[in-house]
Amino acid sequence: MRDDIERVLIAEEVIEKRLDLIAGEIERDFPEGTLLVIILLKGALVFAADLLRRVARPLEIECLNVASYHGGTSSSGQVDFLDRRFPEVKDRHVLLLDDILDTGRTLHAVKQRLTEAGAAAVHTGVLLAKDKERSEEVEVDYTGFRIGDEFVVGYGLDYQGRYRNLPYVGVLKGEIAGI
Ligand code: IMP
Ligand code: MG
């Protein structure tokens, strides 16, 4: 698996230090009470697991399955909600977590759904944000790292379902990603 990686972009220790800081910000920013964290599957799973264990606040976790990529290395442009049940968010302070902000369509669509469903506030957090023009401008409250506009894997992010368990964020070799 590691042979498929051209270079490590963000090392595990660097991610861990950044998560300590973001967790502190979350603890300070959210009002008293139980916050509701919504994890976008599957990409945000690793990021969320590592981040939330650092947040010393009462919280509940819900997960949502949305798809905007269908196996390739570019966005399909459409956001599909795949769950039959939508979490109860009315009057809740929500922290929505995703792995990466790319075109912005996913976070924009989910944030809108949560707001329509009556959430008191929707804060957003991503491990990575690509430095590029977005189709949808979304304000992100917590960003782990800004990266260039390139396809990355690891720490939850996949290429065709693989590489999510790499403990760092890396760039795939061109011959593997077919680019
Ligand atoms: P957006 O809706 O275009 O912002 O895309 C968000 C989703 O696309 C993320 O949740 C990822 O699943 C996927 N994605 C975007 N860029 C990458 C990447 O570089 N590697 C792996 N997945 C990506
Ligand atoms: Mg994804």
Side-chain angles (χ1 to χ4, degrees):
M1 190 167 63
R2 282 162 200 239
D3 292 345
D4 296 353
I5 301 298
E6 186 180 279
R7 70 199 143 88
V8 174
L9 200 61
I10 311 168
E12 190 174 7
E13 315 80 70
V14 179
I15 298 174
E16 284 172 353
K17 289 208 180 90
R18 186 76 186 109
L19 295 188
D20 286 340
L21 292 176
I22 296 176
E25 287 177 33
I26 292 170
E27 284 176 7
R28 281 192 298 276
D29 292 352
F30 276 83
E32 290 251 326
T34 305
L35 68 114
L36 174 62
V37 183
I38 298 192
I39 302 170
L40 295 186
L41 298 177
K42 304 168 198 153
L45 205 54
V46 176
F47 165 50
D50 283 353
L51 175 67
L52 296 180
R53 277 176 295 170
R54 291 169 158 83
V55 177
R57 286 282 301 265
L59 58 81
E60 290 167 4
I61 295 177
E62 292 278 0
C63 296
L64 273 180
N65 262 292
V66 296
S68 63
Y69 263 53
H70 301 282
T73 58
S74 66
S75 175
S76 70
Q78 193 196 323
V79 179
D80 299 321
F81 286 80
L82 307 177
D83 302 278
R84 284 167 61 178
R85 173 190 157 271
F86 197 74
E88 181 55 63
V89 298
K90 195 158 175 14
D91 301 327
R92 300 295 304 268
H93 285 263
V94 175
L95 172 61
L96 172 63
L97 295 179
D98 201 5
D99 50 0
I100 187 166
L101 183 69
D102 183 18
T103 66
R105 289 195 187 100
T106 304
L107 271 193
H108 179 81
V110 179
K111 201 174 167 179
Q112 193 169 335
R113 258 308 268 282
L114 292 167
T115 307
E116 283 165 10
V122 183
H123 299 256
T124 49
V126 292
L127 175 69
L128 306 170
K130 283 189 189 174
D131 199 5
K132 64 191 283 188
E133 284 233 348
R134 304 199 203 290
S135 322
E136 295 288 353
E137 270 317 319
V138 213
E139 256 188 59
V140 178
D141 302 284
Y142 310 102
T143 300
F145 304 90
R146 294 183 194 286
I147 63 168
D149 187 10
E150 60 186 337
F151 191 80
V152 293
V153 293
Y155 211 80
L157 292 109
D158 73 305
Y159 173 63
Q160 296 188 340
R162 297 180 58 207
Y163 308 106
R164 292 193 199 274
N165 55 328
L166 286 174
Y168 50 79
V169 175
V171 178
L172 273 184
K173 285 181 180 158
E175 67 258 32
I176 307 283
I179 43 180

